[in-house]
Amino acid sequence: MHESFPTCRTQSFGLMTSTIPASLSSLLASGGGASQEEAWAAFLAAHSRLLLFVARSFGGDHDAVMDRYVALIEHLSRDDYRRLRAFADDGRSEFSTWLVVVAQRICLDHRRARYGRLRSTDDHARNEHATRRQLADLVGVPADLVPLEDRGDLPADEALAARETRSALDAALATLPARDRLLIELRFTDDVPLAEIAGILGYPTRFHAYRRLNQALATLRSALAARGVVSPG
Amino acid sequence: MSQETSHLSSEALAAFLSRRVGAPEAAAIEAHLAGCPSCRAELTAAHRTGARRERPKRVATRMAAAAAVLAVVAIGLRSPRADPTSAGPVFRGPESGGVVSTVAPSAGARVARDELRFAWAGAGPDYLYRVLVLDSAGAELWRAESSDTVVTPGADLRLVPEVAYTWYVDALGPSGDSASSGPISFGVR
Ligand SMILES: [Zn+2]
């Protein structure tokens, strides 16, 4: 199957000012009344597709999506478009990226307000353990030390060894630069594919991300070797 | 970590994804992200949304017209005196730009209930149409789907005389493109 690469953007860290889209600047400049309503309608005409896309990404049937969509436009227009004015004041991001992040947060809050927290912490913890185990494998932690979760059925000495391995791994992770830790968390805790990680962190291709990940794992391995958890080499 | 530690602002997350943060701030953001599953989840989801939006699915197209109409209805709700049909530009499916020309009832028309027919100009061969009638609060009262360009509502559409309603028709093309009439206010005698 063909796997598409994310858009390649090199990490520039340039402090550029973003352009405020015309639909937003006319909305914020409109004084109120009919002209403001017209500007708001034009803003929605320009961005409703993106808002709808975010609303849809939270799943559910047509009514659930529309419910979320209405919450989005209500929230964005609240207090004289306070949320949109915040973009204009900050002005760093691409507007569409900013709008996606903001819309996601509104949808998350909306869902929490309605249904409470949906994701089971148990499921999340189980996944996290599975992928942590994979990380341990990769840095060469011996298989008998791998159970990283606290399991009641383990003999006391094995449970102790597992806890020690885990804290050694966490300590070794803490010595890495934040960017490498983020890379590792995305890969081994969140199970995000490398092609996506490359897009998120701005590596030109997934191979660049792969190379960086391997370097970080090598560093982790030597940190663990220095602590005597794994054998060097 | 405490549940109430402050998370990254939307502005910071978006600036990070847009690569518009300076190196010291980037390091701080990365450090937070490395230790915060919930901000990481937002970051990944926002990136995915951005990437997927570049190759949209058809179903998104189909709903866009409905969203535009809802937007108009919501504008009407925000300001009670506003008539949704006069809320500015004619609404189009934001994606396709297609507009369905309606014939009857025309905007502001008041017709006898037993003569009520919804009619529009065909958007092309093999199009499907969906007609919706909303009350003044934007709630859906009735809908019908048809491949024809005229629909006669049955007794299941109950309308109160001298009350303002809104109707619109969405067209869905054979290749997934869509168009909408935009909302039209009408009433019955
Ligand atoms: Zn956070």
Side-chain angles (χ1 to χ4, degrees), chain B residues 165-186:
Chain B
Y165 296 97
T166 302
W167 78 282
Y168 67 89
V169 54
D170 291 337
L172 176 65
S175 54
D177 52 320
S178 73
S180 179
S181 65
I184 300 140
S185 76
F186 76 103

Side-chain angles (χ1 to χ4, degrees), chain B residues 142-165:
Chain B
W142 180 84
R143 70 163 71 196
E145 286 182 9
S146 172
S147 54
D148 201 355
T149 58
V150 182
V151 165
T152 306
D156 54 330
L157 173 59
R158 269 183 232 119
L159 299 175
V160 181
E162 310 303 330
V163 166
Y165 296 97

Side-chain angles (χ1 to χ4, degrees), chain B residues 6-8 32 36 38-39:
Chain B
S6 68
H7 289 293
L8 295 173
H32 179 91
C36 179
S38 105
C39 284

Side-chain angles (χ1 to χ4, degrees), chain B:
Chain B
M1 198 194 290
S2 145
Q3 200 72 322
E4 295 305 320
T5 37
S6 68
H7 289 293
L8 295 173
S9 68
S10 302
E11 281 68 29
L13 267 177
F16 182 77
L17 268 177
S18 305
R19 327 249 174 268
R20 303 278 175 83
V21 285
E25 193 188 353
I29 292 174
E30 284 159 355
H32 179 91
L33 286 167
C36 179
S38 105
C39 284
R40 269 203 319 273
E42 280 188 61
L43 177 81
T44 306
H47 172 75
R48 283 182 183 161
T49 299
R52 276 185 203 141
R53 238 163 43 81
E54 283 154 27
R55 23 190 176 92
K57 287 181 191 158
R58 280 177 187 179
V59 65
T61 319
R62 209 178 318 166
M63 290 178 76
V69 172
L70 251 175
V72 175
V73 170
I75 293 158
L77 283 174
R78 274 165 25 78
S79 116
R81 69 195 152 65
D83 171 2
T85 56
S86 66
V90 173
F91 258 99
R92 293 145 191 267
E95 184 164 15
S96 62
V99 176
V100 182
S101 306
T102 53
V103 178
S106 56
R110 256 182 296 147
V111 298
R113 172 62 185 87
D114 55 1
E115 285 169 15
L116 180 62
R117 314 256 181 290
F118 298 106
W120 55 93
D126 298 325
Y127 270 73
L128 273 175
Y129 303 95
R130 187 176 59 182
V131 186
L132 278 100
V133 175
L134 313 175
D135 67 14
S136 59
E140 181 183 322
L141 292 180
W142 180 84
R143 70 163 71 196
E145 286 182 9
S146 172
S147 54
D148 201 355
T149 58
V150 182
V151 165
T152 306
D156 54 330
L157 173 59
R158 269 183 232 119
L159 299 175
V160 181
E162 310 303 330
V163 166
Y165 296 97
T166 302
W167 78 282
Y168 67 89
V169 54
D170 291 337
L172 176 65
S175 54
D177 52 320
S178 73
S180 179
S181 65
I184 300 140
S185 76
F186 76 103
V188 292
R189 290 198 288 266

Side-chain angles (χ1 to χ4, degrees), chain A residues 92-160:
Chain A
R92 283 181 295 176
S93 311
E94 286 165 25
F95 180 68
S96 61
T97 306
W98 177 88
L99 193 57
V100 165
V101 172
V102 167
Q104 276 184 179
R105 253 187 206 183
I106 295 170
C107 289
L108 273 172
D109 290 344
H110 180 71
R111 184 166 70 181
R112 268 184 215 127
R114 278 217 161 180
Y115 308 109
R117 289 173 189 280
L118 279 186
R119 184 198 250 174
S120 139
T121 10
D122 285 352
D123 278 0
H124 184 72
R126 207 172 301 125
N127 285 341
E128 193 173 324
H129 285 136
T131 41
R132 283 258 158 169
R133 191 187 301 242
Q134 198 189 343
L135 171 63
D137 278 347
L138 276 170
V139 294
V141 172
D144 55 347
L145 291 182
V146 161
L148 295 176
E149 60 268 55
D150 288 316
R151 274 171 42 189
D153 58 343
L154 281 182
D157 56 336
E158 281 183 38
L160 177 68

